[in-house]
Amino acid sequence: MKNIVLTGFMGTGKTTAGKLVASKLGLSFVDVDAYIEKKAGMRISDIFEQFGEEYFRDLETECIGDIVQKKNLVIATGGGAVLRKKNVQLLRQNGVIVHLDATLDTILKHTSRSENRPLLQGQTAEQVKQRLASRTEFYQDCDFTVCVDGRTPIQVAQRIVECCKA
Ligand code: S3P
């Protein structure tokens, strides 16, 4: 079975759904952000603060390169991973890409209390809306889209499993 790769904007529930899918299918779960934090020995917010976004993006590409060497994984990517073509190529090599889609309302609800998402700090709803719009075309480059609005994480996980088995 190919790796199952979850993409989507911050707050679409990639990590939560990914863990559920992995346990349903008996696969291992890898969260790219957690992998980056472990490799760097720093929290994402500190990486951004001390070294900037470009440095974080390079680290993200390096970590994705490590992770895709393994099989039988469910991989939850960070919301910006799809912005680099190289990352998408790596993830596609042995993976089926499932985009978790959500409305701005859902995203704002899910991220209202985040403190480890530097790109959302101090952002207005309008700014988040613009960032989401600017990424739409990147998220569309996927094998399946699963809408998370009004669905519980278990329902989202079920949909992902159905898509990947089809
Ligand atoms: C980012 C999303 C974050 C994390 C970093 C950048 C983004 O991951 O990788 O803060 O550019 O959308 P989540 O989508 O898991 O919050």
Side-chain angles (χ1 to χ4, degrees):
M1 186 171 184
K2 285 189 163 190
N3 290 334
I4 297 175
V5 178
L6 303 183
T7 63
F9 201 78
M10 295 170 271
T12 51
K14 301 176 294 278
T15 303
T16 309
K19 286 180 182 166
L20 292 168
V21 172
S23 85
K24 260 176 184 294
L25 298 177
L27 303 172
S28 300
F29 174 73
V30 181
D31 183 84
V32 177
D33 283 345
Y35 189 100
I36 294 170
E37 290 192 326
K38 199 165 171 209
K39 188 157 180 166
M42 292 171 81
R43 299 193 78 206
I44 302 284
S45 49
D46 294 328
I47 300 172
F48 269 74
E49 198 180 308
Q50 292 188 29
F51 302 110
E53 180 170 354
E54 206 49 30
Y55 179 90
F56 170 80
R57 296 295 172 203
D58 288 342
L59 208 50
E60 185 174 46
T61 301
E62 193 182 311
C63 290
I64 289 172
D66 291 352
I67 293 166
V68 298
Q69 301 307 316
K70 300 213 183 97
K71 290 187 173 160
N72 299 314
L73 301 180
V74 178
I75 303 169
T77 61
V82 294
L83 300 175
R84 275 200 186 173
K85 230 187 182 125
K86 168 90 180 154
N87 296 341
V88 179
Q89 278 166 357
L90 286 166
L91 292 162
R92 265 238 159 78
Q93 268 171 25
N94 175 42
V96 45
I97 299 185
V98 183
H99 164 222
L100 299 192
D101 194 23
T103 58
L104 179 68
D105 274 1
T106 301
I107 287 166
L108 292 175
K109 215 185 288 164
H110 288 182
T111 57
S112 64
R113 274 180 285 162
S114 4
E115 32 88 356
N116 195 24
R117 286 186 170 115
L119 296 180
L120 293 180
Q121 293 312 303
Q123 296 282 290
T124 62
E126 186 54 36
Q127 287 169 317
V128 179
K129 184 180 172 185
Q130 282 172 17
R131 188 182 295 276
L132 177 62
S134 74
R135 291 183 174 183
T136 303
E137 60 174 309
F138 295 94
Y139 293 131
Q140 280 169 351
D141 184 12
C142 64
D143 299 300
F144 301 102
T145 294
V146 170
C147 179
V148 307
D149 298 314
R151 284 187 166 134
T152 64
I154 292 174
Q155 289 169 330
V156 171
Q158 186 56 41
R159 262 318 278 141
I160 296 168
V161 169
E162 283 162 15
C163 289
C164 295
K165 281 193 165 163

